[in-house]
Amino acid sequence: MRIARDDLRGPEIAAMLEAHLKDFEPHSPPESRHALDLDGLRRPEVHFYTAWENNELLGCGAFKRLDDTHAEIKSMRTDPAHLRKGVARAILAHLIEEARAAGLRRLSLETGPMAHFAPARRLYEAFGFDYCEPFGSYREDPYSVFMTRAL
Protein backbone atom coordinates (compact mmCIF):
# COMPACT_ATOMS: atom_id res chain seq x y z
CA MET A 1 0.00 0.00 0.00
CA ARG A 2 1.29 3.44 -0.95
CA ILE A 3 0.01 6.51 0.92
CA ALA A 4 0.75 9.92 -0.58
CA ARG A 5 -0.39 13.52 -0.38
CA ASP A 6 -3.09 14.09 -2.99
CA ASP A 7 -4.21 17.18 -4.91
CA LEU A 8 -7.83 15.94 -5.15
CA ARG A 9 -7.90 16.23 -8.94
CA GLY A 10 -8.56 12.59 -9.88
CA PRO A 11 -12.06 11.30 -10.67
CA GLU A 12 -11.61 8.35 -8.29
CA ILE A 13 -11.20 10.61 -5.29
CA ALA A 14 -14.15 12.78 -6.34
CA ALA A 15 -16.33 9.67 -6.48
CA MET A 16 -15.06 8.41 -3.11
CA LEU A 17 -15.73 11.76 -1.44
CA GLU A 18 -19.20 11.97 -2.99
CA ALA A 19 -19.97 8.55 -1.49
CA HIS A 20 -18.50 9.74 1.83
CA LEU A 21 -20.89 12.71 1.93
CA LYS A 22 -23.91 10.61 0.90
CA ASP A 23 -23.07 8.09 3.62
CA PHE A 24 -23.98 10.66 6.29
CA GLU A 25 -27.46 11.47 4.93
CA PRO A 26 -29.40 8.71 6.72
CA HIS A 27 -27.59 9.32 10.01
CA SER A 28 -27.72 13.04 10.68
CA PRO A 29 -29.52 16.19 9.54
CA PRO A 30 -27.68 18.59 7.20
CA GLU A 31 -26.78 21.03 10.00
CA SER A 32 -24.99 18.21 11.85
CA ARG A 33 -22.85 17.03 8.93
CA HIS A 34 -19.33 18.38 9.16
CA ALA A 35 -17.55 16.66 6.27
CA LEU A 36 -15.69 18.91 3.86
CA ASP A 37 -16.44 18.94 0.15
CA LEU A 38 -13.72 18.96 -2.53
CA ASP A 39 -13.24 22.73 -2.35
CA GLY A 40 -12.99 22.60 1.44
CA LEU A 41 -10.41 19.83 1.25
CA ARG A 42 -8.31 21.81 -1.26
CA ARG A 43 -7.74 24.66 1.20
CA PRO A 44 -4.10 25.29 2.16
CA GLU A 45 -4.63 24.34 5.83
CA VAL A 46 -5.77 20.84 4.80
CA HIS A 47 -3.28 18.01 4.25
CA PHE A 48 -5.10 15.32 2.25
CA TYR A 49 -3.75 11.79 1.64
CA THR A 50 -4.86 8.81 -0.39
CA ALA A 51 -3.93 5.13 -0.13
CA TRP A 52 -3.33 3.16 -3.32
CA GLU A 53 -2.46 -0.36 -4.35
CA ASN A 54 -1.85 -1.31 -7.99
CA ASN A 55 -3.42 1.99 -9.17
CA GLU A 56 -6.59 1.27 -7.17
CA LEU A 57 -7.80 3.83 -4.64
CA LEU A 58 -8.22 2.13 -1.26
CA GLY A 59 -9.06 5.05 0.98
CA CYS A 60 -8.33 8.57 2.10
CA GLY A 61 -7.88 10.81 5.11
CA ALA A 62 -6.83 14.33 5.97
CA PHE A 63 -6.01 16.70 8.75
CA LYS A 64 -7.00 20.35 8.85
CA ARG A 65 -4.84 22.75 10.84
CA LEU A 66 -6.89 24.63 13.41
CA ASP A 67 -3.89 26.61 14.70
CA ASP A 68 -0.11 26.16 14.99
CA THR A 69 -0.35 23.16 17.32
CA HIS A 70 -3.79 21.60 16.79
CA ALA A 71 -5.41 19.90 13.78
CA GLU A 72 -8.63 18.02 13.08
CA ILE A 73 -8.86 14.64 11.36
CA LYS A 74 -11.16 14.91 8.32
CA SER A 75 -12.52 12.70 5.53
CA MET A 76 -11.42 9.29 6.77
CA ARG A 77 -12.87 6.83 4.27
CA THR A 78 -12.12 3.31 3.09
CA ASP A 79 -13.54 2.02 -0.17
CA PRO A 80 -16.18 -0.60 0.78
CA ALA A 81 -14.35 -3.23 -1.29
CA HIS A 82 -11.33 -2.84 1.00
CA LEU A 83 -12.92 -2.80 4.46
CA ARG A 84 -11.22 -4.83 7.19
CA LYS A 85 -7.90 -4.93 5.34
CA GLY A 86 -6.08 -2.38 7.51
CA VAL A 87 -6.54 0.57 5.16
CA ALA A 88 -8.02 2.96 7.75
CA ARG A 89 -5.42 1.88 10.32
CA ALA A 90 -2.59 2.62 7.85
CA ILE A 91 -4.05 5.98 6.86
CA LEU A 92 -4.60 7.06 10.46
CA ALA A 93 -1.04 6.05 11.41
CA HIS A 94 0.22 8.05 8.43
CA LEU A 95 -1.83 11.11 9.41
CA ILE A 96 -0.47 10.98 12.96
CA GLU A 97 3.12 10.82 11.69
CA GLU A 98 2.57 13.62 9.16
CA ALA A 99 0.96 15.79 11.85
CA ARG A 100 3.93 15.20 14.17
CA ALA A 101 6.33 16.04 11.34
CA ALA A 102 4.39 19.27 10.75
CA GLY A 103 4.99 20.27 14.37
CA LEU A 104 1.45 19.69 15.59
CA ARG A 105 0.93 18.63 19.22
CA ARG A 106 -2.75 17.62 19.21
CA LEU A 107 -5.19 15.90 16.83
CA SER A 108 -8.95 16.00 17.39
CA LEU A 109 -11.96 14.78 15.47
CA GLU A 110 -15.74 14.78 15.27
CA THR A 111 -17.71 11.65 14.43
CA GLY A 112 -21.16 10.26 15.02
CA PRO A 113 -22.43 8.54 18.18
CA MET A 114 -24.68 6.13 16.27
CA ALA A 115 -23.93 2.44 15.73
CA HIS A 116 -22.99 3.17 12.10
CA PHE A 117 -19.90 5.03 13.36
CA ALA A 118 -18.89 2.46 16.02
CA PRO A 119 -16.07 0.95 13.90
CA ALA A 120 -14.57 4.42 13.43
CA ARG A 121 -14.79 5.17 17.15
CA ARG A 122 -13.11 1.85 17.97
CA LEU A 123 -10.29 2.64 15.53
CA TYR A 124 -9.72 6.07 17.09
CA GLU A 125 -9.83 4.59 20.60
CA ALA A 126 -7.21 1.99 19.56
CA PHE A 127 -4.96 4.87 18.48
CA GLY A 128 -5.25 6.61 21.84
CA PHE A 129 -8.00 9.12 21.11
CA ASP A 130 -10.11 9.99 24.15
CA TYR A 131 -13.58 11.51 24.22
CA CYS A 132 -13.60 15.25 24.85
CA GLU A 133 -15.72 18.38 24.77
CA PRO A 134 -16.41 20.14 21.45
CA PHE A 135 -13.35 21.93 20.08
CA GLY A 136 -12.82 24.73 17.56
CA SER A 137 -16.14 26.04 16.27
CA TYR A 138 -18.09 22.88 17.19
CA ARG A 139 -20.95 23.02 19.70
CA GLU A 140 -22.74 20.26 21.62
CA ASP A 141 -24.84 18.25 19.15
CA PRO A 142 -26.72 14.97 19.74
CA TYR A 143 -25.38 13.79 16.36
CA SER A 144 -21.71 14.32 17.26
CA VAL A 145 -19.05 12.99 19.58
CA PHE A 146 -15.60 14.51 19.88
CA MET A 147 -12.26 12.84 20.43
CA THR A 148 -8.70 14.08 20.88
CA ARG A 149 -5.14 12.91 21.55
CA ALA A 150 -1.79 14.50 22.20
CA LEU A 151 1.00 13.76 19.76
Side-chain angles (χ1 to χ4, degrees), residues 63 91-103 107 149 151:
F63 65 84
I91 291 170
L92 185 56
H94 188 83
L95 292 175
I96 290 169
E97 289 309 310
E98 289 291 329
R100 276 191 186 119
L107 280 174
R149 69 160 281 177
L151 298 179

Side-chain angles (χ1 to χ4, degrees), residues 1 76-78 82 85-93 123 127:
M1 179 184 324
M76 286 286 295
R77 176 83 177 179
T78 301
H82 298 286
K85 295 180 181 177
V87 174
R89 182 171 289 281
I91 291 170
L92 185 56
L123 172 69
F127 273 81

Side-chain angles (χ1 to χ4, degrees), residues 122-134:
R122 284 192 300 272
L123 172 69
Y124 297 129
E125 289 167 356
F127 273 81
F129 284 83
D130 294 313
Y131 292 90
C132 65
E133 297 298 315

